[in-house]
Amino acid sequence: MEWLLVPFEVSFVQRALVAGVLVSVVCAVVGTWVVLRGMAFIGDAMSHGMLPGVAVASLTGVNLLIGAAVSAGVMALGVTALGRSRRLSEDTTIGLLFVGMLASGVIIVSHSRSFAVDLTGFLFGDVLAVGSADLVGLAITLVVVAAVALLGHRSFTALTFDVRKGHTLGLRPRLANAVLLALVTLTIVASFRVVGTLLVFGLLIAPAAAALFWSRRITTIMLVAALLGVVATVGGLLVSWHWDTAAGATIAAGAVGLFFLSAALSFARQHFRSPTLEIERSR
């Protein structure tokens, strides 16, 4: 048991664990709606579309969170505005904005001498360098996300499953869509500096997608997704400590691994249940 406990006796690993748990819960709440609505592509686009703002902020000495927020806001407004066009599909507009923002960011960052370091930090973050201020920021984000998700639950449900009924009940699906997009933006902006865009996107999508194999109730999906995110965080930190791997990338890989494990177990469960059901029906 020593190999399991020793890493978490170190203060910076403890802070990394708390940060991972907070990000896992936030991403479980928001990620459930992202997966149910099929917004994975827009989540990826938002996470990487922040690069221009982060690059400009880094080069000018401005707080990175401000640059990320501005860039993410531009991305969100672009998706909303272009999404109203009837000539282009939503995924086409998102793809164009994604490529344009990412390319712009790389061009800006390429002028910096620390190009490789900046880009690596943007993608993978540094979860082992989390400070107390970062934890406070993540805790505040969790409170805001939980409150908005609770208040907007009915509207988000209508937006996901029956937009027409949502209009009939006065739940304003368009506003709900804008708020949901804002939640995705807040989650990514608040978390990327700590854990990087790769880990944020991994925890946003993989645990929620894995939870779908075990439940069909929205609240249960969120709970299972949060649990899987925490498992990925703990496992990733352990592997990172003992095998000297990148902590953020290892956690993200663990989250994706849990998705494939859930898919395999679900397939096996259905496969072995089928003969039993056929035997019972034959009786």
Side-chain angles (χ1 to χ4, degrees):
M1 291 294 292
E2 184 177 350
W3 67 274
L4 183 63
L5 299 177
V6 168
F8 299 105
E9 294 176 357
V10 182
S11 59
F12 67 83
V13 179
Q14 293 173 359
R15 289 193 295 270
L17 176 61
V18 175
V21 170
L22 290 173
V23 172
S24 296
V25 178
V26 171
C27 287
V29 175
V30 179
T32 296
W33 294 114
V34 170
V35 171
L36 289 176
R37 288 213 64 227
M39 296 173 62
F41 185 36
I42 193 173
D44 186 30
M46 290 295 298
S47 63
H48 291 83
M50 296 187 305
L51 183 55
V54 173
V56 172
S58 178
L59 293 176
T60 58
V62 178
N63 189 299
L64 296 183
L65 288 179
I66 296 177
V70 171
S71 190
V74 171
M75 185 78 180
L77 289 174
V79 170
T80 303
L82 293 177
R84 296 176 180 176
S85 174
R86 296 181 179 180
R87 296 186 177 183
L88 296 174
S89 62
E90 185 179 26
D91 61 338
T92 299
T93 58
I94 294 172
L96 290 172
L97 286 168
F98 172 36
V99 174
M101 295 288 282
L102 185 60
S104 299
V106 172
I107 291 172
I108 295 171
V109 175
S110 64
H111 286 284
S112 173
R113 295 178 181 179
S114 57
F115 169 75
V117 176
D118 290 342
L119 190 56
T120 300
F122 175 76
L123 290 173
F124 302 106
D126 193 357
V127 68
L128 296 179
V130 172
S132 300
D134 298 316
L135 296 180
V136 172
L138 289 173
I140 293 174
T141 300
L142 175 57
V143 172
V144 173
V145 166
V148 174
L150 180 62
L151 293 174
H153 183 81
R154 289 186 63 203
S155 297
F156 293 156
T157 302
L159 175 67
T160 301
F161 298 107
D162 195 338
V163 176
R164 292 183 179 179
K165 187 175 182 179
H167 279 295
T168 303
L169 296 176
L171 296 176
R172 305 178 67 181
R174 287 187 179 180
L175 177 60
N177 185 64
V179 173
L180 185 56
L181 187 59
L183 284 183
V184 174
T185 303
L186 174 62
T187 300
I188 295 171
V189 170
S191 307
F192 94 95
R193 189 176 182 181
V194 177
V195 294
T197 58
L198 178 67
L199 176 56
V200 172
F201 184 66
L203 289 178
L204 193 67
I205 302 301
L212 285 176
F213 290 109
W214 307 110
S215 177
R216 288 294 179 266
R217 291 180 59 87
I218 295 175
T219 52
T220 306
I221 292 173
M222 290 180 179
L223 291 173
V224 174
L227 177 61
L228 292 175
V230 171
V231 171
T233 298
V234 174
L237 290 174
L238 284 173
V239 172
S240 174
W241 176 272
H242 291 293
W243 290 359
D244 195 25
T245 59
T250 306
I251 294 173
V256 176
L258 287 174
F259 164 77
F260 285 110
L261 177 61
S262 296
L265 291 175
S266 178
F267 174 79
R269 181 181 60 180
Q270 293 177 359
H271 177 74
F272 288 113
R273 272 187 177 183
S274 297
T276 305
L277 291 174
E278 290 178 1
I279 292 174
E280 291 179 351
R281 289 172 180 174
S282 65
R283 290 178 181 177

